[in-house]
Amino acid sequence: MFAVLLLASGLATAQPSASTTQEITQLFAALETSGCRFQRNGSWHEAPEAKAHLQRKYDYLLKKRQLTTTESFIDLAASRSSVSGRAYHVQCGQSAPVDSAAWFTGRLSAIRAGR
């Protein structure tokens, strides 16, 4: 029983690792400097405004202790509206819009590959 309580208390206080925090910071920077547009709930926003919105969601999820990996950030904060459930989209230049989950996952792969 003690081990179960210890495990549960560890999960309740879980926080992202330093490397996860660094990756998320790099994703924010990639978005902010991308020049891409970000669509949420049918409206397009410039990258710095989108970054600010996602930062608020990130801060909320940190406070609720719901983020443990960079992938959980992408899934819980950067891929869809938590109000409407609608997917977010990213459009860079004249390219067709893509789901933001795919865009962020691509950026994460590049970060991890050192590019």
Side-chain angles (χ1 to χ4, degrees):
M1 182 62 139
F2 180 72
V4 170
L5 289 174
L6 260 177
L7 179 60
S9 68
L11 292 175
T13 60
Q15 288 291 306
S17 68
S19 62
T20 294
T21 301
Q22 182 179 18
E23 286 177 345
I24 294 169
T25 298
Q26 290 174 292
L27 288 176
F28 279 133
L31 174 62
E32 190 170 32
T33 61
S34 69
C36 299
R37 299 185 319 146
F38 189 87
Q39 184 188 53
R40 61 184 173 91
N41 294 320
S43 297
W44 287 100
H45 304 273
E46 297 305 318
E49 183 182 352
K51 186 253 183 192
H53 172 73
L54 294 179
Q55 181 71 55
R56 287 188 297 275
K57 288 182 76 173
Y58 172 73
D59 293 342
Y60 173 81
L61 291 168
L62 275 180
K63 182 179 173 185
K64 294 292 185 180
R65 301 187 183 283
Q66 294 180 348
L67 292 179
T68 54
T69 65
T70 308
E71 289 82 2
S72 68
F73 163 73
I74 293 170
D75 183 50
L76 296 172
S79 62
R80 74 183 85 53
S81 169
S82 46
V83 174
S84 71
R86 290 172 67 182
Y88 293 151
H89 296 93
V90 176
Q91 182 180 31
C92 301
Q94 299 300 314
S95 298
V98 298
D99 283 346
S100 64
W103 190 88
F104 278 105
T105 300
R107 297 292 103 34
L108 178 59
S109 293
I111 289 166
R112 288 180 173 166
R115 293 180 267 150

